[in-house]
Amino acid sequence: MENTENTQSTEINDNAALIVIDVQKGFEYEFWGRRNNPDAERNIAALIDAWQETGRPVVFVRHDSLRPGSPLEPGTTGNEFKDFVEERCGKGSGPEVLVRKTVNSAFYGEPDLGAWLKGAGVSQFVVVGIQTNMCNETTARMGGNLGYDVLFPLDAMHTFDLAGPFGWTQTAEELTRATAVSLHGGRFARVVTTADVLKGVSAQ
């Protein structure tokens, strides 16, 4: 991923939630094509560890695809969390929840994410996972619209090259930059780095 040294550091609330989106084995399949950011999994793991060690709430989100044959179809190996996430589920000293969804936004899943965050008194959350410009971006946009302070550590996620209309294509890096500019410039979320977030956690 490109240099992100100019991103801003931030304070992390004592009860800020970490939303870990769709870190599933199906995203390792060749079906998706070329990905970016090989450091994503290491950074995601570091953030989960920091949240669990400090007792902050963690939301694990899983995409249960309704499309037959999808790499994320329920009941298949691809639907399962990657091992480094699965082995961390339920290991924190703070509240945790599993949200199952069939669309891009984690706010449209079961149980209701908004209700769970409200019940926990959460006003700030951090989005990590897969894919940067799909479920991560959609969840961040909705969070921003709903009044949450949303942090988006760009190096704790990844995406894939994508083809669109009119023969247009964009690489994973181009899509990542477009997402970052749209979210940050549009004030839906603050785009930061994993180091910024970890520094904010350790400062508490």
Side-chain angles (χ1 to χ4, degrees):
M1 204 178 75
E2 294 183 15
N3 191 333
T4 54
E5 289 180 359
N6 292 326
T7 54
Q8 62 184 34
S9 59
T10 187
E11 293 183 4
I12 304 298
N13 295 348
D14 288 340
N15 70 336
L18 179 69
I19 303 183
V20 183
I21 298 181
D22 302 351
V23 186
Q24 294 165 254
K25 293 179 180 178
F27 281 117
E28 297 174 345
Y29 298 170
E30 292 183 5
F31 171 88
W32 304 97
R34 193 189 70 88
R35 62 169 277 185
N36 70 331
N37 191 20
D39 294 328
E41 285 81 358
R42 176 174 58 82
N43 290 328
I44 293 167
L47 289 168
I48 296 173
D49 289 345
W51 251 252
Q52 292 185 325
E53 289 167 4
T54 57
R56 288 178 167 87
V58 181
V59 180
F60 293 99
V61 181
R62 189 182 73 207
H63 191 85
D64 291 345
S65 178
L66 298 178
R67 183 167 56 82
S70 167
L72 306 178
E73 185 177 4
T76 68
T77 299
N79 182 256
E80 299 172 0
F81 287 132
K82 294 188 180 186
D83 291 343
F84 80 94
V85 170
E86 183 61 37
E87 67 189 17
R88 287 172 167 80
C89 289
K91 301 296 177 62
S93 56
E96 297 187 13
V97 66
L98 169 64
V99 173
R100 304 171 183 86
K101 65 179 179 61
T102 59
V103 293
N104 295 105
S105 176
F107 282 95
Y108 291 124
E110 293 293 336
D112 184 279
L113 175 59
W116 190 87
L117 292 174
K118 184 176 180 180
V122 172
S123 62
Q124 180 188 64
F125 65 77
V126 178
V127 175
V128 302
I130 309 170
Q131 300 181 56
T132 307
N133 57 311
M134 297 290 186
C135 297
N136 293 7
E137 181 175 351
T138 305
T139 299
R141 283 179 179 272
M142 281 201 67
N145 283 167
L146 291 169
Y148 290 94
D149 178 22
V150 182
L151 304 177
F152 204 79
L154 204 61
D155 55 351
M157 56 189 73
H158 74 80
T159 190
F160 303 89
D161 296 350
L162 189 64
F166 314 122
W168 295 347
T169 61
Q170 284 194 305
T171 66
E173 290 82 4
E174 290 169 337
L175 291 165
T176 294
R177 176 177 283 196
T179 289
V181 171
S182 293
L183 290 180
H184 197 92
R187 300 190 179 185
F188 293 99
R190 287 182 285 161
V191 177
V192 294
T193 67
T194 296
D196 291 332
V197 177
L198 290 175
K199 183 178 179 180
V201 169
S202 63
Q204 300 299 310

